[in-house]
Structure formats: C-alpha cells, structure tokens
Amino acid sequence: MTRKNIKYFAILALGLIACEPEFDTPIDGAEVYVSGKLDLSNYVALGNSLTAGYADGALYITGQENSYPNILAQQFKLAGGGEFMQPLMADNTGGALLGGNQILDNRFVLVFDDKGKPVGPAVYTGAKPTTDVSNKLTGSFNNMGVPGAKSYHLAAPGYGNVAGVEAGLANPYFARFASSSETTVIADAVAQKPTFFSLWIGNNDILSYATSGGVGEDHNVTGNLVPSTYGPNDITNNNVFASVYSDLVKALAVNGTEGVLLDIPDITSAPFFTTVPFAPLNPLDPSFAAQIPTLNATYAGLNMAFTALGVPERAIQFSATAASAVVIKDESLTDITAGLTVALGGTFGPLAPIVAAQYGQARQAKSSDLLTLRSSGIIGKVNTARVAELIGMGVPKETAGQLSVNGLTLPLEDKYVLIPEEQTAIKIAQDSYNATIEAVAGANGLAFVSAKSLLLQVAETGVSFDGGVVTSTFASGGGFSLDGVHPTPRGHALVANALLEALEETYEAKFPRVNIGNYGTVTANNEVN
C-alpha cells in the first residue's frame, strides 16, 4: 500500500452569484396589498439558525439581512407591517469573540487555485471577527432566531447567560441579546407582545445527530424524558418535543395571536448529506489507480478471513474499471475482532490483533449509506493521529502509514457516515415532530408551511424562477450555502414566498412575492465585504 492522497472530489462552482438583497418589488399601481385577518404591527420570529440567517457556517450581517423573517417583514410593510429589528452581528466575517478571545469560527468562502479554478470552501482568514458576545445588546428584537437552539432550549432558563458560554452551558448568540442572565428565549419573545409570529424549530433536535454521523444517543430508544441530561448530538425524545412544542405555541398564540408554523425538512434535501458519493474512488485518477493492485493484494488475506468467519459480504475490493466505494466502520455489524485475530495470525503475525481490531466492524460503503460533506476533506489522506497511535503500539512507521489512509485502509469513522440504521432513527423522530407541528397548527388555526415538501422539490426537481433554477447542488445550485445545510439568500427568499402563500390562504391576506433571482447565492470570491 502507498500513502498518496487521493484527489477525487471537485466542486463545480458554475453560475455562482454574490449580490446584495433587493427588497424593492416592482408594484403595479393598481395592486392593493392587504393584511387580511392579520395584525402585522409587531412580527416576532422564533427559531434557530434557519431563522437567524446563519449561512456558510457562521452568522454575519448579510446573512441576517437576507433571513426569511427579514424578507417577510419587508413585504409586510406593504400591507401595514411594522419595523423589524434584528440583533445584527458586528461584521460580515462571521465568528465571534468572548472577552477578546475567538470562540466561533469565521464563515466559509470559496477559495481558488492560482489558475482561478474554484477548489472548495475554506474558513475565511482575511479578517478577525469583531463581534464580542460579552458586549450585550439592548432593546427588543423581532428576530429571535438562535443558532444552535433545540426545541427545549427556547424554554431553558440561563440559556443566554454570558457567564455560562465558555463552559458550554449557554448559547453565545442568545447571550448577546437576552434581556437578563436567567431569562428564556420564549419569555423574551412573549414579553414583546407580538401581534404575529413565526416558529421554525426542531431541526437541531435531529440535525446535530445527523451531521455528526450518528454520534449521539437516540432518546426514542433510551426513553430519556429529561432534556437537561441530553448530549449535544442526541435525538430529542418524540414526547419531549411534542410537549415542549405545544407549550411554545401556547405561549405565542395567547389571546388568539396569529402565526405560521414550519415543519422539519428531510436531511437528504441538504447537500451536506448528498454531495459526497459512497463510491468516490475513481480508477481514472492516476494517484488512486496506481494503488489498486497493492490494495487488492493486501486485502486478499482479510477477505479470506471474512469468508472463513461466515461474513463474505464484508469483502473489500477495489475496481480498476469503475468507481469504488470507500471503506467504513459500521457499528451495527457484529464485532468479529476476536475471530479475525485468530484467522489473521498466520498472515500478520504479531500485528494480527491490531489489524483485526481495525477491521472487526469494517465493510465497503453502499448506496444506502450517506457520507457527510466533511468526509470530502479526509478521504484518501493519511490520518496522522492514527499513524502516531499505531507507532505507539509498536507498529513500524511505514506499516503504520499504510494502515492509516482514510477510507482506503483505515475505515472511515462513524462521524463521517450515516448508516441506514441511523437514518431510520432520524426519520422516525422527524416524522413524529412533523406530525406534532402540523397537528398543533391545525388545533390553533395557524398557518402551516411544509418546509419538508419545499426543500424536497428543490432537491429532486429544482424550483424555476425568471432566469434560472434553484437546486440543492452543492455550491452551484443556489439553494444552500457553503456549509451544505443552511440556505443562501436565494433559499431564504424561496422560503419567504412559501410563507406568504400560506398566509394568503389562511388569513385572506394579499402580499407581493419577492423575485428570488434578485437574491444572492454564495460568495464567489475570497473576500468578505
């Protein structure tokens, strides 16, 4: 085996656009826009990063200005809507400080090689962030979106306590604008006496589990009903979500306040989970093609052991004529380390226990597996931490390197792959959450928007507009930002139009739609303005 890196994944950045939002919608003089049954004088939006305008892995001014609540508010003004205040960050760099020390990374931007070819997103390094979360903002804010918040966080006292940020006990974004150290997000929202509200929450109750490759607990399995004991990547129990969500809406809809609820989209609508193919190893790539004979010869002994142990389906083989799947660790497989240790003794000698442990739950990926976007940066590269670990076990340096190529000789870690069992856990929770959201909307006479259906359309067929189509293709599709999860300004405009349509149907209102082509996609340069 060799230790060459495999270059297999290129980002197609065709048709990228970076432009400022255009809120001015041409209005025919004969058109009359009305609020219908709605009082839009004080619109308050609750949610997480999707509501805040988080994009490209960070929160920054342009993203906030292009958030769907802010777009809605501009259209509401044409029908009597009031002012809409947001807790704007201090710059477009993204990232944040705590007492002068950086605690959150800068945003992603596209980077280019010396020939001007886009080679992928990278963290922006052209400036340091100037937003310090310990500098408290004063006043009330209509956009109460808090990046990172799960459903139960909106009702958690102390979630905006600056003193708890460093220890991970509080949210740095909410700490900037919470009215007090012990208040809750929902309390601060209700205190504003909103006349209309939107609520889009629940994504993070499954998303953190998904983006971490299923590294976390599923509390629909554990039965844990105490969210204060949950880990950051755990799936929220369905009953906990239903109870919390109902209480949030009850607090917001008091005295008949009208609003709109949005459900949770499928993870497979986001390019974070669909961009990296399960079989990315291309024999036309000379750096990989040269390794195929050696890889197959080395795996021959392991494959014989798999067969002898009754699991021939775990055999690992790389093709010289077609794309090959990466090697992954599947924690749902029976661990056959003990049997492999015996079976490999004649081939690997004293290294047999180490090799057996590495492949005790290994297999090649299948089309049913989802590789996360983060895996694109490590597949085919030597895992230096694993090399050091093996050397510490007494493995010769050269052999340690040969056994440490991510996805080729070293199975991809759990955090880079969602296996079918993990996808099923996510779907069970999502279906339950969405059933709750739609039922609560109906019970309270609120408007309802299926973000799941909207983003599924973006992913499967695209959504046409004057001048193009919005798709979920990473970087070039226009719908998602460079983190592969959060919408671009154009994606937010699409969501805003869906909400406007739902409000017209539910509340006899009439609003102008925004032209989604007037909204930007991803930043097509290495500078941040």
Side-chain angles (χ1 to χ4, degrees):
M1 299 181 191
T2 68
R3 293 191 293 167
K4 289 185 178 180
N5 294 343
I6 307 300
K7 183 178 180 182
Y8 72 95
F9 178 62
I11 295 173
L12 302 177
L14 302 175
L16 300 179
I17 299 173
C19 64
E20 293 302 313
E22 297 183 15
F23 291 126
D24 295 330
T25 302
I27 302 174
D28 189 315
E31 288 281 7
V32 177
Y33 299 112
V34 296
S35 59
K37 298 178 180 179
L38 297 173
D39 178 353
L40 301 172
S41 58
N42 188 23
Y43 165 37
V44 175
L46 260 75
N48 49 40
S49 52
L50 294 171
T51 296
Y54 187 102
D56 302 317
L59 190 65
Y60 56 94
I61 293 174
T62 300
Q64 293 175 284
E65 291 176 338
N66 285 276
S67 63
Y68 78 84
N70 199 43
I71 296 174
L72 280 180
Q74 310 312 312
Q75 303 307 99
F76 287 169
K77 286 182 179 180
L78 300 174
E83 292 300 314
F84 191 79
M85 302 298 295
Q86 300 194 96
L88 295 176
M89 301 291 278
D91 54 50
N92 271 321
T93 299
L97 311 171
L98 177 62
N101 298 315
Q102 187 161 358
I103 59 170
L104 298 173
D105 290 337
N106 291 359
R107 63 186 283 193
F108 294 126
V109 293
L110 275 177
V111 293
F112 300 82
D113 62 19
D114 54 6
K115 296 180 180 179
K117 179 182 177 182
V119 294
V123 174
Y124 177 63
T125 58
K128 293 182 178 180
T130 56
T131 303
D132 196 311
V133 302
S134 61
N135 295 332
K136 298 278 289 184
L137 302 178
T138 58
S140 298
F141 297 96
N142 300 82
N143 192 331
M144 298 286 292
V146 179
K150 300 189 179 188
S151 59
Y152 52 84
H153 286 146
L154 300 189
Y159 194 56
N161 187 349
V162 173
V165 169
E166 187 173 8
L169 301 176
N171 184 293
Y173 298 104
F174 185 46
R176 295 184 65 231
F177 66 94
S179 64
S180 70
S181 61
E182 290 305 311
T183 190
T184 66
V185 178
I186 186 64
D188 277 6
V190 171
Q192 298 183 59
K193 294 182 170 53
T195 60
F196 174 77
F197 70 90
S198 62
L199 178 63
W200 196 4
I201 197 70
N203 304 71
N204 289 337
D205 291 69
I206 54 174
L207 184 63
S208 56
Y209 177 88
T211 56
S212 69
V215 178
E217 294 285 341
D218 176 5
H219 292 302
N220 289 312
V221 174
T222 68
N224 186 345
L225 301 178
V226 185
S228 62
T229 65
Y230 289 1
N233 297 328
D234 292 356
I235 293 177
T236 302
N237 179 275
N238 294 343
N239 293 321
V240 169
F241 178 84
S243 176
V244 169
Y245 193 88
S246 296
D247 287 345
L248 292 173
V249 174
K250 181 179 180 181
L252 291 166
V254 66
N255 298 322
T257 302
E258 306 290 4
V260 57
L261 310 181
L262 297 88
D263 70 4
I264 312 304
D266 291 337
I267 61 169
T268 52
S269 294
F272 188 90
F273 301 99
T274 58
T275 298
V276 183
F278 77 97
L281 304 170
N282 190 344
L284 297 180
D285 184 333
S287 63
F288 172 60
Q291 302 182 61
I292 293 174
T294 302
L295 285 168
N296 286 337
T298 304
Y299 273 118
L302 182 63
N303 291 341
M304 290 176 63
F306 284 148
T307 299
L309 293 171
V311 287
E313 68 278 4
R314 299 195 195 182
I316 297 169
Q317 181 79 23
F318 298 99
S319 174
T321 58
S324 293
V326 293
V327 181
I328 67 171
K329 178 180 180 180
D330 181 347
E331 64 274 20
S332 72
L333 295 177
T334 300
D335 191 340
I336 58 172
T337 297
L340 277 181
T341 300
V342 176
L344 296 176
T347 304
F348 291 93
L351 295 181
I354 295 173
V355 174
Q358 183 154 308
Y359 297 106
Q361 291 179 297
R363 63 171 174 83
Q364 279 185 289
K366 302 174 183 178
S367 59
S368 56
D369 298 306
L370 297 178
L371 273 61
T372 70
L373 189 60
R374 296 190 183 106
S375 70
S376 67
I378 61 103
I379 292 175
K381 295 183 178 180
V382 174
N383 187 319
T384 55
R386 179 60 174 169
V387 171
E389 183 180 17
L390 289 175
I391 291 175
M393 295 178 183
V395 178
K397 182 177 180 180
E398 182 177 357
T399 303
Q402 292 171 345
L403 288 171
S404 301
V405 184
N406 290 314
L408 275 76
T409 60
L410 179 63
L412 287 184
E413 297 175 71
D414 183 21
K415 64 182 179 180
Y416 295 115
V417 185
L418 274 178
I419 60 176
E421 289 80 359
E422 293 165 339
Q423 296 172 47
T424 297
I426 292 167
K427 187 177 187 307
I428 288 172
Q430 181 209 27
D431 288 348
S432 177
Y433 298 172
N434 283 351
T436 292
I437 294 169
E438 189 166 9
V440 169
N444 290 273
L446 303 172
F448 170 75
V449 170
S450 177
K452 174 183 176 179
S453 297
L454 177 64
L455 294 183
L456 190 62
Q457 183 183 359
V458 172
E460 292 186 343
T461 63
V463 176
S464 298
F465 65 93
D466 292 342
V469 179
V470 178
T471 75
S472 65
T473 303
F474 182 65
S476 63
F480 288 87
S481 68
L482 292 173
D483 59 33
V485 172
H486 297 91
T488 60
R490 186 166 295 174
H492 276 280
L494 191 64
V495 172
N497 277 346
L499 267 70
L500 291 171
E501 180 178 353
L503 296 182
E504 289 186 347
E505 293 176 352
T506 307
Y507 297 117
E508 301 176 9
K510 185 175 183 181
F511 304 105
R513 304 294 190 267
V514 298
N515 183 345
I516 63 176
N518 288 341
Y519 292 80
T521 55
V522 301
T523 303
N525 55 62
N526 293 346
E527 298 300 323
V528 170
N529 298 316

